Amino acid sequence: MNVKELIRTINHTLKSHNLFPENSRILVACSGGPDSMALLYLLQDIATHRHTTYKIGVAIVDHCIRPESKEEVLWLQHQVEELGLPFYSATFDVPRLSKEHKKSEETIGRQVRYQWLNEIAQSEGYDYISVAHHKDDQAESILAHIIRGSGLNGLTGMSVVQSEYAIPVVRPLLDVTKEDLLAYIGTKHISYCVDSTNEDVRYQRNRIRHRIIPELEAVNPAVVDAIVRLGSSVNEDVMVISDLTSRTFDKLVSIGDDEVRISRRALRQEPLAIQRRLWQRLVSTIDSDLTLTSAHQEQLLDIVNTGEKKTFTIKSIKVIAQCDTIKVYCKH
Ligand SMILES: Nc1ncnc2c1ncn2[C@@H]1O[C@H](COP(=O)(O)OP(=O)(O)OP(=O)(O)O)[C@@H](O)[C@H]1O
């Protein structure tokens, strides 16, 4: 893809989601790596191409995982100041936090990064946070979910707009490949930092990127496109199932002050795919942090299929099925 086509493709992604209108303020999350440096320059090119005037700021988090990270923050600060843009940075001791919270460095790093980006975006008046995930990242993320044993929801991939936080996170590059971005960087002579851990196949993501995808490409050279298409079509189907689940939930479930109830017979008449999702919604109504494992789901589906009295405890919640009534409540 040449520069013109690249800009047209990204502009199309943004337009089809009504993103970055005139005068909006965008905080670009930039690691200093090739993808996010490309995003930074592309967003400026797109503003020129569209004759619009959105405003860009740049934010970086130093995760203290690599010895060179401090220097990279200073390098990026210099680049951003040369461009005359606002710059923000924060430092988190991710290795220490990872030990304290018993979570992987990747998970904790992502959590603190998005939380801080949101705080900065809110306090500095930005409308959007923008990140540089591209088509290859999308395919890797879907494959990672398949390998981990995800349900359908995990196969939908990342969305262009994610509204989970107060400030929406936007991914304008999901329709372009890493190769397109590297070609752009080469043409424009944009400098960037190289993350020394990117080649390390002890990290799951790198193993998928450097070992699994090339093997799959030997079978189908367009496998990245094929996986991304799978993600989009699953996404469409999941939206339909999710809508049907919501309507069934509203019809069948009665919500009390600290409990939810459903008829065992009515639940049994629903297809299994809906039953599973209804169970997740029933428990989430009581404890929004509780995600059912497939083992929990099997046990809960068993409750539906008998007429006997059954009691079941999952973490913070209790389920009692007696005669035709199933009651879900907090065990405390
Ligand atoms: N340390 C960081 N500070 C700010 N934003 C970051 C940082 N690390 C990642 N991001 C943002 O999150 C996106 C996804 O993170 P990921 O680790 O997958 O990126 P990456 O493949 O390393 O990309 P890049 O080539 O830009 O480093 C990046 O493209 C960037 O927009």
Side-chain angles (χ1 to χ4, degrees):
M1 225 186 253
N2 63 32
V3 173
K4 244 188 180 164
E5 286 163 344
L6 187 63
I7 290 178
R8 215 178 296 131
T9 306
I10 298 167
N11 204 17
H12 179 263
T13 308
L14 291 172
K15 271 197 172 155
S16 57
H17 289 83
N18 290 324
L19 288 164
F20 303 170
E22 188 89 13
N23 292 327
S24 50
R25 300 192 69 207
I26 307 156
L27 186 63
V28 177
C30 187
S31 63
D35 306 344
S36 45
M37 287 307 284
L39 174 66
L40 173 57
Y41 280 84
L42 276 162
L43 286 182
Q44 305 209 92
D45 281 354
I46 288 168
T48 315
H49 169 88
R50 274 204 207 167
H51 308 291
T52 54
T53 51
Y54 48 65
K55 292 189 179 59
I56 293 173
V58 178
I60 184 169
V61 173
D62 180 356
H63 296 115
C64 302
I65 296 176
R66 294 175 293 117
E68 59 273 26
S69 61
K70 205 171 175 179
E71 244 171 70
E72 289 173 0
V73 173
L74 294 174
W75 174 84
L76 183 65
Q77 178 168 16
H78 178 71
Q79 302 290 316
V80 172
E81 282 170 2
E82 291 264 289
L83 293 170
L85 302 176
F87 176 78
Y88 312 90
S89 69
T91 304
F92 294 97
D93 187 346
V94 169
R96 183 177 58 77
L97 291 169
S98 152
K99 285 199 190 92
E100 263 173 35
H101 295 270
K102 296 193 174 65
K103 287 185 177 170
S104 71
E105 290 184 352
E106 288 95 324
T107 305
I108 283 285
R110 201 177 310 115
Q111 266 174 16
V112 294
R113 184 162 80 236
Y114 279 107
Q115 200 176 329
W116 175 76
L117 285 167
N118 238 270
E119 284 163 15
I120 279 289
Q122 277 180 290
S123 65
E124 298 291 325
Y126 285 91
D127 306 300
Y128 304 96
I129 293 164
S130 192
V131 291
H133 292 112
H134 45 71
K135 200 187 256 189
D136 301 78
D137 288 329
Q138 180 74 302
E140 287 163 17
S141 152
I142 293 171
L143 267 185
H145 278 101
I146 295 176
I147 293 164
R148 251 183 270 138
S150 136
L152 270 197
N153 286 4
L155 304 193
T156 57
M158 299 175 276
S159 47
V160 173
V161 189
Q162 187 184 349
S163 307
E164 195 178 307
Y165 298 93
I167 306 291
V169 174
V170 177
R171 301 188 173 88
L173 307 183
L174 282 183
D175 294 323
V176 302
T177 63
K178 173 101 187 175
E179 198 185 338
D180 296 328
L181 297 176
L182 289 177
Y184 171 78
I185 284 222
T187 310
K188 294 265 174 171
H189 306 291
I190 297 165
S191 43
Y192 59 87
C193 306
V194 177
D195 180 341
S196 54
T197 63
N198 269 355
E199 300 299 314
D200 187 343
V201 289
R202 280 173 301 177
Y203 293 104
Q204 179 199 279
R205 185 177 90 165
N206 296 341
R207 185 172 288 272
I208 292 175
R209 179 176 298 171
H210 298 303
R211 298 274 167 87
I212 297 177
I213 300 249
E215 277 298 323
L216 294 175
E217 278 173 336
V219 180
N220 173 10
V223 75
V224 166
D225 279 327
I227 296 170
V228 169
R229 263 201 317 277
L230 167 72
S232 312
S233 83
V234 171
N235 193 25
E236 287 168 10
D237 293 357
V238 162
M239 284 198 299
V240 175
I241 302 174
S242 175
D243 186 51
L244 186 57
T245 308
S246 298
R247 279 188 276 140
T248 312
F249 185 93
D250 293 344
K251 196 171 70 190
L252 299 185
V253 177
S254 51
I255 302 180
D257 284 343
D258 42 20
E259 63 173 46
V260 284
R261 285 166 186 261
I262 188 166
S263 147
R264 190 151 32 180
R265 205 177 321 114
L267 191 52
R268 200 179 299 140
Q269 277 161 9
E270 295 301 325
L272 269 182
I274 300 294
Q275 283 190 36
R276 285 183 203 283
R277 286 171 170 81
L278 281 174
W279 271 119
Q280 180 58 55
R281 294 210 186 185
L282 285 163
V283 300
S284 298
T285 309
I286 303 298
D287 177 353
S288 57
D289 289 332
L290 182 55
T291 304
L292 294 173
T293 62
S294 48
H296 290 142
Q297 282 183 359
E298 292 315 312
Q299 283 167 310
L300 290 166
L301 291 174
D302 265 358
I303 289 184
V304 182
N305 291 327
T306 89
E308 296 161 26
K309 181 177 177 186
K310 292 248 181 190
T311 339
F312 195 62
T313 304
I314 310 168
K315 294 184 182 163
S316 62
I317 64 142
K318 203 154 184 164
V319 180
I320 291 186
Q322 196 168 16
C323 303
D324 188 44
T325 304
I326 296 174
K327 193 167 91 173
V328 182
Y329 58 100
C330 185
K331 84 176 174 207
H332 309 297

